[in-house]
Amino acid sequence: QVQLVESGGGSVQAGGSLRLSCAASGYTYNRYYCMAWFRQAAGKEREGVAFIDSVGSTRYADSVKGRFTISKDNAKANLYLQMNSLEPEDTAMYYCAAKPCLRSDYNYWGQGTQVTVSS
């Protein structure tokens, strides 16, 4: 099993920044996992925001490209999401997710951390 615990959410005004963290643990977790941040706004479907693979290659949803940066610290088994120039549309519950890279779907999820951006 892999456990994921997010932190760093909060309330911020539009244009502000937040940094989310995700601590991974568990005997099956290793640096070769693919990891991602997803978000789900009230009344909307969950969407993938940012992805990072085992060698550090990243990709982003168009809505956050240029504003969000995903990174990981393999030594600490931590995943991060730096969010800049936040917009009210970024308001959502943010979830950390992990999977063995060969797997198609993410099978490990954190409990989520709330991000609220006011105009």
Side-chain angles (χ1 to χ4, degrees), residues 11-16 86-91 116-119:
S11 297
V12 64
Q13 289 193 326
L86 283 162
E87 303 167 354
E89 294 73 23
D90 296 318
T91 295
T116 302
V117 184
S118 58
S119 56

Side-chain angles (χ1 to χ4, degrees), residues 4-86:
L4 303 172
V5 179
E6 303 96 334
S7 61
S11 297
V12 64
Q13 289 193 326
S17 298
L18 283 173
R19 189 192 194 207
L20 305 184
S21 297
C22 173
S25 62
Y27 75 96
T28 59
Y29 174 80
N30 62 69
R31 67 176 63 188
Y32 301 111
Y33 271 44
C34 285
M35 302 191 75
W37 288 96
F38 288 77
R39 68 184 181 187
Q40 187 167 21
K44 295 187 177 181
E45 292 188 355
R46 185 174 62 196
E47 63 171 342
V49 173
F51 305 83
I52 188 166
D53 67 13
S54 59
V55 296
S57 297
T58 60
R59 61 185 176 92
Y60 299 90
D62 287 343
S63 59
V64 306
K65 206 171 290 185
R67 300 187 298 121
F68 289 11
T69 302
I70 188 172
S71 62
K72 63 178 180 175
D73 182 336
N74 286 327
K76 298 181 179 179
N78 283 352
L79 180 72
Y80 305 100
L81 185 67
Q82 178 66 43
M83 306 186 294
N84 298 329
S85 302
L86 283 162

Side-chain angles (χ1 to χ4, degrees), residues 1-2 32-35 38 51 53 59 97-109:
Q1 285 290 343
V2 174
Y32 301 111
Y33 271 44
C34 285
M35 302 191 75
F38 288 77
F51 305 83
D53 67 13
R59 61 185 176 92
K99 64 167 185 170
C101 287
L102 292 179
R103 188 183 171 101
S104 59
D105 63 317
Y106 287 85
N107 55 328
Y108 296 111
W109 295 85

